[in-house]
Amino acid sequence: MIKDMNGRELSAEEVFSKSIKALVTSFMEMFKRDANLKVIRDNDIKWVLTVPAIWSEQSKQFMRKCARLAGIPSDSLSIALEPECASVYCQRLTSTNWKDNNSSLFSAGKKYIVVDLGGGTVDIAVHEIITDLRLKEIYRSTGSNCGGTSIDNAFLDFLKNLFDKDDKSVMENLKKRHPEEYLELFRSFESKKRTVKTDNQKVVRMMIPITVLTSLCKEVHGKNLDEVWKGSDFSKEISIKGDKLSISPKVFAGFFTPTIEKILKILESILKKEEMSDVKDVILVGGFAECGILQDKIRSTFESRQVLIPLDCGLAVLKGAVLYGHRPSVIAVRLIRYTYGVDVTIRFNETCHSERHLIEIRGMKYCRDVFQTLIEKNTEVQNDQIVTKQFKLRPGQERVAVKIYMSTEQSPNYIDHISCCLLGQLIIHISNPIERERMIDANFMFGGTELKVTATDRETGEIFLTAIEMVAE
């Protein structure tokens, strides 16, 4: 369940699926208005849904489910990572497509870091261009929830300081009773947030819903608007005249400080790595990348690097997603974020197995809860590289269920290690069970943006229906 701005709840599945459905409907209506494109079938369209690179497998599967509920066929959908899409787009730009018009052309061997500064998250990817404009991931994608909305939260705290007193909230009333004015206030702030500069010495002026705020101050506090804000901590730093709120440059810049410091800390931790020594270009994309204060701070902090910003940085992910949809193999090599494995029970070996995991089956000693590694974290994998795990079917067996685990450690021994968590369960449906033992191959594909599995009969080559049922996070 997720809450709207007034605390009312709906299931996340319903909210996301209907949001995607609205986009799909708008898109299809656009085609119907074009006389040349009125007849279009579902399988004529390849859909690409972008998500933050730091999202888990469970989150990506959730988005895929919501897209399916919105009417997008699953076999026509690709889940793409936002900083990867931006990287695909940026490598195709010429020197005239950058804000400072000073970018060197991208060519084989070029290494760069892409910082996707979105609303909720900051996603970071580090790539090297290899042959034929294909990309190799040279540092695992990372990031945090320190996007542009963090600045909005700081601004909201400032407004509460101005108008809320003694547990009596003007801002809460504004949000619940006058949502249009509330949203318009933050839209006004958004435009200032993107354009203000570090060296700005002028007060920042923005529109506020003065009529509604005046009425609420009288109702909630029994005072007029001036009496309320002049009793705040910022009374000497602001003024209100007509429908304009004027904020001192010092206070306005302070809204950005905690978020920018967090972003800089993440970048510093990456750029000091040994493998980052020859990465000289830092590319900023996303809506928050338009913020002048952020741009200037990154440039001054990383003076030895060239900071590049596309002219249309807010559209870099969108345009890159179109390119990625036509050619997913453009990301040729990725690094595995976690160690993946399956839960197995094997013969007990006193020299290496823990007594805590010892069980006896028909008088034989076995070790349970063993983490059998499929692939280790930081492994370089080609696009949709396959790791095969063999399973023996019992006579007449109709279904195989295998628990899949992931770990932040390189080589955990057991699934109950503190670094391990259950990702989900692989289900293999056997369409033609037979009365003898046989072997099947489960082929795990790790090189894409999502974990995929297929299963085949080793003897006949028959492909079985598979699904990974992810656990809730």
Side-chain angles (χ1 to χ4, degrees):
M1 303 300 291
I2 56 176
K3 296 179 180 179
D4 73 356
M5 59 189 289
N6 288 321
R8 294 171 299 186
E9 288 189 337
L10 273 177
S11 74
E13 186 177 283
E14 183 175 3
V15 173
F16 277 71
S17 62
K18 288 189 173 178
S19 298
I20 296 169
K21 178 64 176 178
L23 292 169
V24 170
T25 301
S26 176
F27 182 74
M28 298 304 291
E29 287 175 351
M30 179 190 71
F31 272 105
K32 290 177 183 178
R33 290 193 295 269
D34 189 319
N36 298 317
L37 295 170
K38 282 187 176 179
V39 179
I40 191 164
R41 297 160 300 185
D42 288 345
N43 59 4
D44 289 332
I45 302 174
K46 175 71 173 181
W47 300 91
V48 181
L49 187 59
T50 67
V51 300
I54 58 174
W55 272 23
S56 66
E57 293 291 339
Q58 292 97 324
S59 297
K60 286 181 275 190
Q61 188 183 71
F62 169 80
M63 292 301 285
R64 179 170 285 277
K65 180 180 180 182
C66 291
R68 188 173 67 250
L69 292 172
I72 297 177
S74 197
D75 57 358
S76 297
L77 174 69
S78 289
I79 300 291
L81 307 183
E82 286 162 1
E84 289 189 350
C85 289
S87 181
V88 170
Y89 173 66
C90 288
Q91 63 164 314
R92 293 173 176 265
L93 299 181
T94 64
S95 59
T96 58
N97 296 121
W98 302 88
K99 289 199 173 181
D100 294 328
N101 199 23
N102 63 353
S103 169
S104 56
L105 294 176
F106 285 63
S107 57
K110 182 87 166 181
K111 297 179 182 180
Y112 55 90
I113 182 169
V114 178
V115 187
D116 177 24
L117 299 148
T121 62
V122 170
D123 272 320
I124 298 170
V126 187
H127 288 152
E128 177 184 357
I129 299 178
I130 52 180
T131 58
D132 193 26
L133 291 180
R134 299 178 78 203
L135 298 173
K136 174 183 177 181
E137 186 179 38
I138 57 176
Y139 186 83
R140 286 183 294 111
S141 296
T142 186
S144 183
N145 58 342
C146 50
T149 53
S150 302
I151 315 297
D152 298 346
N153 293 335
F155 177 59
L156 177 59
D157 289 340
F158 161 79
L159 293 173
K160 288 179 177 178
N161 187 287
L162 290 186
F163 301 119
D164 295 355
K165 313 292 177 188
D166 304 322
D167 296 326
K168 296 178 180 178
S169 178
V170 168
M171 292 308 300
E172 194 65 26
N173 275 281
L174 178 66
K175 182 172 69 171
K176 286 184 176 180
R177 293 162 54 187
H178 305 277
E180 289 185 11
E181 286 82 358
Y182 183 88
L183 291 173
E184 191 58 41
L185 173 60
F186 277 87
R187 289 191 191 101
S188 179
F189 175 70
E190 179 71 21
S191 65
K192 298 296 180 182
K193 183 173 77 176
R194 296 192 182 202
T195 56
V196 71
K197 299 288 185 182
T198 303
D199 58 1
N200 179 48
Q201 297 302 314
K202 298 179 180 179
V203 297
V204 178
R205 291 184 175 87
M206 54 178 288
M207 300 278 290
I208 60 172
I210 190 68
T211 303
V212 175
L213 285 173
T214 299
S215 174
L216 287 174
C217 284
K218 198 70 176 174
E219 177 187 330
V220 174
H221 300 300
K223 300 178 180 179
N224 62 39
L225 181 68
D226 283 353
E227 289 179 295
V228 173
W229 71 259
K230 285 178 179 177
S232 74
D233 296 337
F234 298 101
S235 58
K236 296 180 180 179
E237 303 286 349
I238 73 151
S239 66
I240 298 176
K241 292 182 180 179
D243 60 354
K244 298 287 194 303
L245 169 65
S246 298
I247 308 171
S248 73
K250 176 184 175 183
V251 169
F252 199 88
F255 299 150
F256 296 78
T257 302
T259 299
I260 290 178
E261 286 180 350
K262 191 172 181 180
I263 293 170
L264 293 176
K265 188 175 180 180
I266 295 170
L267 280 171
E268 284 173 340
S269 68
I270 294 173
L271 289 170
K272 71 181 182 182
K273 304 285 185 184
E274 184 179 341
E275 58 266 42
M276 297 292 110
S277 60
D278 55 351
V279 176
K280 302 301 181 186
D281 294 321
V282 179
I283 300 175
L284 307 183
V285 299
F288 191 25
E290 296 176 14
C291 172
I293 292 178
L294 177 62
Q295 293 174 12
D296 294 342
K297 195 66 177 177
I298 291 177
R299 283 196 173 99
S300 63
T301 304
F302 305 104
E303 292 180 335
S304 62
R305 262 91 176 184
Q306 179 177 219
V307 178
L308 304 170
I309 307 165
L311 287 173
D312 52 358
C313 57
L315 295 175
V317 171
L318 175 65
K319 294 184 175 184
V322 176
L323 295 168
Y324 177 87
H326 284 288
R327 193 187 178 203
S329 61
V330 66
I331 310 295
V333 180
R334 289 187 175 92
L335 295 172
I336 296 297
R337 186 190 293 184
Y338 301 104
T339 294
Y340 291 87
V342 294
D343 175 18
V344 298
T345 298
I346 60 177
R347 292 290 292 271
F348 189 81
N349 185 331
E350 295 180 355
T351 62
C352 62
H353 288 153
S354 162
E355 291 284 341
R356 184 166 59 89
H357 295 91
L358 172 63
I359 58 171
E360 287 198 12
I361 302 174
R362 293 190 290 272
M364 301 291 292
K365 291 184 176 181
Y366 290 88
C367 185
R368 61 176 173 82
D369 298 336
V370 173
F371 187 105
Q372 188 172 81
T373 299
L374 295 169
I375 194 166
E376 292 186 349
K377 76 173 191 176
N378 294 324
T379 300
E380 284 190 4
V381 290
Q382 304 290 324
N383 189 270
D384 282 341
Q385 183 169 320
I386 291 175
V387 174
T388 300
K389 167 71 177 170
Q390 300 172 6
F391 297 99
K392 181 184 289 187
L393 291 182
R394 301 186 304 273
Q397 187 172 352
E398 299 179 349
R399 184 175 179 270
V400 178
V402 183
K403 290 182 178 178
I404 305 173
Y405 287 81
M406 59 186 190
S407 172
T408 55
E409 292 291 318
Q410 199 75 20
S411 302
N413 293 319
Y414 302 102
I415 62 168
D416 55 4
H417 188 270
I418 191 171
S419 70
C420 298
C421 68
L422 178 63
L423 174 63
Q425 188 168 232
L426 168 64
I427 306 296
I428 304 173
H429 299 278
I430 309 303
S431 55
N432 61 339
I434 57 178
E435 294 306 315
R436 63 178 175 83
E437 289 186 347
R438 56 175 168 166
M439 301 297 295
I440 61 170
D441 291 332
N443 302 308
F444 294 81
M445 289 171 279
F446 285 101
T449 56
E450 300 172 89
L451 174 60
K452 298 177 182 178
V453 186
T454 61
T456 58
D457 185 313
R458 175 169 292 188
E459 291 180 15
T460 66
E462 180 184 358
I463 299 175
F464 300 117
L465 177 65
T466 61
I468 300 178
E469 297 176 352
M470 301 289 185
V471 297
E473 291 184 281

